[in-house]
Amino acid sequence: MEKNRKGSAGSPGGEISRLKRTLIHRGTAVSLYADTMCLPDGSYAEWDFIAHPGGACAVAVREDGRILLVSQYRDSLGDVSLELPGGARSSAAEPDEETAARELEEETGYRAKRVRKLLDYRPDPSLTDERVGICFAEGLTEVGQRLDPGENIRVVELTLPEALGAIRSGKITDGGAIRSGKITDGKTVCGILAYAAYAASPISGSQTDAACGMITISSPN
């Protein structure tokens, strides 16, 4: 039996116990489970749980202030989605900064000299344990995309005001013309808003390294 101490509306400080976890389906990216739970009032319930390995993404900003995003087809939407570059960790122990830097280079063709962690993003704790580490990447050098077979990714560059406008209105304005595209992806919205807050009041010097977990990415030999 697995127990988690939690409060509840009916019984403050009550105890919720997981009695059983049953695998329903194991997919290529996620696994679906049915959890049998004992609630604080003594009743039982079946809760869905989706196990997800998680990953990291990068808010990569060029020297001219433009943010790099990627446009790619998402089957769940039946349409393209505009997102921050990112992907899965190569191992459970891989730091978020390294994952974000690798995925940034593969998907956009830009290598970052410095990467710092901004925050953790949890898409939906009621259903999944997925965690996405959102990082800020700077000191970019163009080295060329390295896409996986079958990937069709287009790089889109937006200023921070353009990105914020795409979040608010679902449209991207460029020189007065409206281009196809909008930003609704959760981690991308969260990352851009976090970067906007960071850009408005950046931490300087060693405080930045300590507070944001900055690491310097070594170039391969």
Side-chain angles (χ1 to χ4, degrees), residues 52-56 89 96 117 120-123 129-133:
H52 192 292
R89 301 176 186 88
D96 291 336
K117 179 79 169 289
D120 282 330
Y121 169 66
R122 297 276 187 178
D129 61 351
E130 180 182 5
R131 179 185 67 81
V132 180

Side-chain angles (χ1 to χ4, degrees), residues 56-114:
C57 64
V59 185
V61 183
R62 301 192 327 180
E63 288 188 5
D64 63 5
R66 290 186 175 274
I67 302 169
L68 301 178
L69 296 104
V70 292
S71 176
Q72 57 188 318
Y73 180 83
R74 293 301 192 188
D75 184 49
S76 60
L77 303 177
D79 199 356
V80 296
S81 177
L82 195 57
E83 306 174 7
L84 293 172
R89 301 176 186 88
S90 61
S91 70
E94 182 177 47
D96 291 336
E97 296 89 345
E98 292 184 13
T99 303
R102 183 187 65 253
E103 293 294 325
L104 168 67
E105 183 173 334
E106 292 178 358
E107 294 187 352
T108 70
Y110 280 85
R111 180 175 297 154
K113 185 176 181 181
R114 294 174 299 279

Side-chain angles (χ1 to χ4, degrees), residues 158-180:
L158 297 179
T159 64
L160 180 56
E162 286 173 339
L164 292 173
I167 291 172
R168 289 193 297 267
S169 67
K171 298 177 181 178
I172 300 171
T173 303
D174 183 9
I178 297 178
R179 296 184 288 145
S180 174

